[in-house]
Amino acid sequence: MTILFYVDEGGTGWKDMQTNFFFLASFAIHVQHWSQMDSKFSALKKEFFSRREPEDWELKGRDIWQGVGSFKDFQRAVRLRAFKEVSETMSQLPCHIFAVQVNKKRLRETSQDVKDETGLYRLTFNQLLDRLDAYLKQSNETGILLMDSRSTQHTSIQDGRLLRVYRDWKSQKISSNFVELPLFGFSEFYTGLQLADYVVYLIDRYSKEAGTASGHNELEEAYFFWLKENKLTLVELP
């Protein structure tokens, strides 16, 4: 069987000195469970907006949490409940979440190997690919990577950079269980890419706020759904 890995990025790039974290994360699900995922979240989106078709709007963690975009007219309590519902619904699916979190401040202090955006992306993507490929080999499955071609940090140039990093990574492996090059699509068309976007937003927000005075109980509860069901593998670098 084949596993679909929907991948998105979050946090900030190497040049940003104000915030510490950069992320790559993947929402992983077997192709045989794809229809279950799609139908569950179509139903959830219909709960949020009964008069709109699910495919007509994107499910974005930032919009729900901050009350912008499709959720700009929602009361805060309703939005926070919706935010937790997304995480809880994900935790009930036969899926897994993989994430690599890079602390850029600590990396600058401990390593001279990364000096720019490309180096940061290469380090993070290589680590994510290693974890995903090991997961495939352990379960004797093949995998397909699906990437958002319109995320805030993706341009055609950066998509080309990603492919070069992937080719370099694969050339160093004796074998890999990935098939084809990473595929790019518009997140508005793919439920899995919308969930990957939600994943990076929740992990990014949680890493900044959990355990602080500004931390939200709702944020911790949403994160805990994944931990309780053993759905999350998080790699922290360095």
Side-chain angles (χ1 to χ4, degrees):
M1 296 295 295
T2 300
I3 299 176
L4 303 173
F5 295 99
Y6 297 93
V7 180
D8 204 359
E9 61 189 61
T12 55
W14 186 253
K15 294 180 181 179
D16 188 307
M17 307 293 287
Q18 303 304 312
T19 56
N20 287 343
F21 297 108
F22 175 73
F23 300 87
L24 280 176
S26 174
F27 172 79
I29 192 163
H30 279 82
V31 291
Q32 69 192 75
H33 300 306
W34 174 89
S35 61
Q36 178 184 356
M37 169 198 72
D38 197 59
S39 62
K40 271 185 173 292
F41 277 94
S42 291
L44 186 62
K45 291 172 80 173
K46 200 70 176 176
E47 287 183 25
F48 296 158
F49 296 97
S50 60
R51 297 184 179 180
R52 297 176 65 182
E53 293 302 318
E55 61 269 19
D56 289 342
W57 61 280
E58 282 193 63
L59 186 69
K60 299 183 73 67
R62 176 181 176 275
D63 290 359
I64 304 173
W65 188 263
Q66 297 186 12
V68 297
S70 296
F71 286 82
K72 64 181 179 180
D73 297 324
F74 281 58
Q75 294 182 351
R76 182 175 183 273
V78 176
R79 288 189 287 102
L80 296 184
R81 186 165 62 248
F83 192 87
K84 290 193 295 182
E85 279 189 81
V86 174
S87 179
E88 184 175 19
T89 302
M90 290 177 67
S91 72
Q92 295 168 353
L93 290 171
C95 67
H96 200 78
I97 297 163
F98 298 87
V100 178
Q101 170 187 297
V102 179
N103 186 317
K104 297 178 295 175
K105 181 176 183 295
R106 194 175 301 154
L107 185 63
R108 291 187 181 99
E109 295 170 347
T110 59
S111 174
Q112 300 296 318
D113 295 333
V114 177
K115 300 178 180 178
D116 54 23
E117 301 284 352
T118 300
L120 175 64
Y121 203 95
R122 181 180 298 276
L123 170 68
T124 314
F125 196 29
N126 282 350
Q127 287 289 331
L128 182 62
L129 288 171
D130 283 344
R131 295 312 187 280
L132 300 185
D133 196 44
Y135 183 73
L136 290 172
K137 287 185 169 69
Q138 182 179 5
S139 54
N140 196 28
E141 310 273 10
T142 56
I144 297 176
L145 293 162
L146 298 101
M147 322 289 291
D148 183 4
S149 63
R150 294 200 310 185
S151 65
T152 54
Q153 297 185 38
H154 267 138
T155 66
S156 59
I157 294 175
Q158 288 168 315
D159 288 345
R161 174 193 65 185
L162 182 151
L163 290 176
R164 287 192 295 274
V165 171
Y166 176 81
R167 287 182 183 276
D168 289 345
W169 172 85
K170 196 159 188 178
S171 69
Q172 298 172 23
K173 300 294 178 180
I174 297 175
S175 66
S176 165
N177 282 35
F178 286 111
V179 297
E180 252 291 2
L181 294 171
L183 305 178
F184 295 89
F186 296 151
S187 59
E188 64 185 284
F189 301 142
Y190 295 92
T191 301
L193 287 177
Q194 294 175 40
L195 297 182
D197 171 88
Y198 176 90
V199 165
V200 293
Y201 184 81
L202 174 52
I203 295 176
D204 186 19
R205 191 109 198 169
Y206 181 81
S207 69
K208 294 173 183 175
E209 297 187 15
T212 69
S214 62
H216 296 273
N217 289 335
E218 293 84 1
L219 197 67
E220 295 187 359
E221 288 173 16
Y223 194 79
F224 183 71
F225 282 130
W226 299 344
L227 299 182
K228 181 175 64 173
E229 300 298 330
N230 197 28
K231 297 289 186 181
L232 176 64
T233 298
L234 177 64
V235 178
E236 298 176 279
L237 300 175

